[in-house]
Amino acid sequence: MLAALTAFCIWGLAPLYFRAIGSVPPFEIVAHRVLWSALFLAGLLALIPSTGGFARVRAVLAQPRLLALLTLTALLTSSNWLVFIWAIDAGRLLEASLGYFINPLVSVALGAIFLGERLRPLQAAAVAIACAGVGWRVWQLGNPPWIAIFLAGTFGLYGLLRKRAPVEAASGLFIETLLVAPLALAWLVWLGAQNALTFGAGTTVNWLLPLSGILTAVPLTLFAVGARRLPLATVGFLQYLAPSLNFLVAVVIFREPLDTTQLVGFALIWLALAVYSADLIRSARRAGNTG
């Protein structure tokens, strides 16, 4: 429980870190995040035996189809990171938090579409209410909340594909970062050649940017620890902590405007999550009674 709570709190408060390095362009932040994460995870694999070390990494690298799948998941996570960081820099953290609120419902819908999982009545109702919330936003503002849709879609697809990839969390994330590391390194080299590299400019970002690796790897590792030991219903509740903290940071600390249109949209999403959570509780109780 403590591991899972810590993971979701880190994710929920991460916008404070990204705002602190707001002088760094989003593409450069993502490049640093990839490279420092790869270094941190390499140390993690080398020092902690329970991760399986580099033996699991070599086993994955010998499987071309699995490697291709992880290449796709790596691109999904990188693009997700980029849009999330850009949203914070653009003062649109509220919309980003909406994406992570609806992500569980997107995952349920993707499971039904691609895995043939049948939606229980309450799950179907939750998805419908969430769609109504997004529809309300489109109707009132005339444009879809594309940041929220992109974040929920990419993270939902990431979960769907990783479900099909038999790879342990730490080694899988290390391979994903390793696959996009050449792109990240090439981007930083190009910035350096253009004298546009923020890192090394003698400011506080010189020691803040390397922390991005820890900020990426630690919560994912803690989440893996918690998810393996907690009931699904508990994990389902805890995952709302991160976007809830994002929401509070956006409104209370960043002072982003929250108008009536946004509030109604969020209210519909929260109603959908309440229905979804009720279904999780009922399902867990039935499983307990059956067991």
Side-chain angles (χ1 to χ4, degrees):
M1 177 70 78
L2 181 60
L5 279 173
T6 304
F8 287 117
C9 283
I10 292 173
W11 282 327
L13 297 175
L16 296 172
Y17 165 80
F18 291 118
R19 177 59 65 89
I21 55 174
S23 60
V24 185
F27 273 100
E28 185 177 346
I29 294 175
V30 172
H32 277 283
R33 191 172 184 178
V34 168
L35 294 176
W36 292 111
S37 295
L39 288 173
F40 181 82
L41 287 163
L44 201 67
L45 291 172
L47 297 175
I48 302 178
S50 61
T51 60
F54 292 101
R56 290 183 180 177
V57 174
R58 287 191 293 270
V60 173
L61 294 177
Q63 303 177 60
R65 291 185 64 181
L66 182 54
L67 199 58
L69 183 60
L70 289 177
T71 301
L72 182 54
T73 59
L75 293 174
L76 286 171
T77 53
S78 299
S79 60
N80 187 280
W81 293 347
L82 179 62
V83 171
F84 182 65
I85 294 169
W86 177 86
I88 296 169
D89 186 58
R92 299 176 70 174
L93 178 57
L94 266 179
E95 190 171 332
S97 71
L98 176 64
Y100 291 117
F101 272 123
I102 65 177
N103 176 67
L105 304 174
V106 170
S107 297
V108 169
L110 289 174
I113 295 170
F114 294 104
L115 300 180
E117 297 176 353
R118 296 187 63 182
L119 292 180
R120 295 189 291 269
L122 285 179
Q123 287 181 323
V127 172
I129 295 170
C131 289
V134 175
W136 165 265
R137 171 69 183 269
V138 174
W139 181 54
Q140 289 293 315
L141 300 182
N143 62 291
W146 71 265
I147 294 175
I149 293 171
F150 183 86
L151 291 175
T154 51
F155 202 75
L157 284 171
Y158 174 79
L160 176 70
L161 294 176
R162 280 303 300 266
K163 187 180 179 68
R164 294 172 174 259
V167 185
E168 188 269 337
S171 56
L173 182 60
F174 174 68
I175 293 170
E176 287 171 342
T177 54
L178 206 60
L179 287 168
V180 293
L183 294 175
L185 184 60
W187 179 255
L188 293 180
V189 170
W190 185 83
L191 287 177
Q194 302 296 315
N195 293 320
L197 191 65
T198 307
F199 185 72
T203 62
T204 53
V205 298
N206 289 351
W207 60 270
L208 282 176
L209 279 173
L211 291 178
S212 61
I214 298 175
L215 190 69
T216 300
V218 169
L220 280 170
T221 305
L222 290 172
F223 173 74
V225 171
R228 282 196 300 266
R229 292 166 174 80
L230 291 173
L232 176 63
T234 304
V235 176
F237 276 122
L238 292 178
Q239 68 182 328
Y240 303 139
L241 178 60
S244 297
L245 288 173
N246 288 167
F247 180 89
L248 290 174
V249 168
V251 174
V252 178
I253 299 178
F254 294 170
R255 300 294 182 179
E256 292 187 16
L258 179 64
D259 56 32
T260 304
T261 298
Q262 288 176 304
L263 193 57
V264 171
F266 270 104
L268 287 169
I269 298 301
W270 291 329
L271 175 60
L273 293 178
V275 173
Y276 173 72
S277 300
D279 178 77
L280 282 179
I281 295 173
R282 191 171 71 168
S283 177
R285 286 177 177 173
R286 285 180 177 177
N289 293 335
T290 303

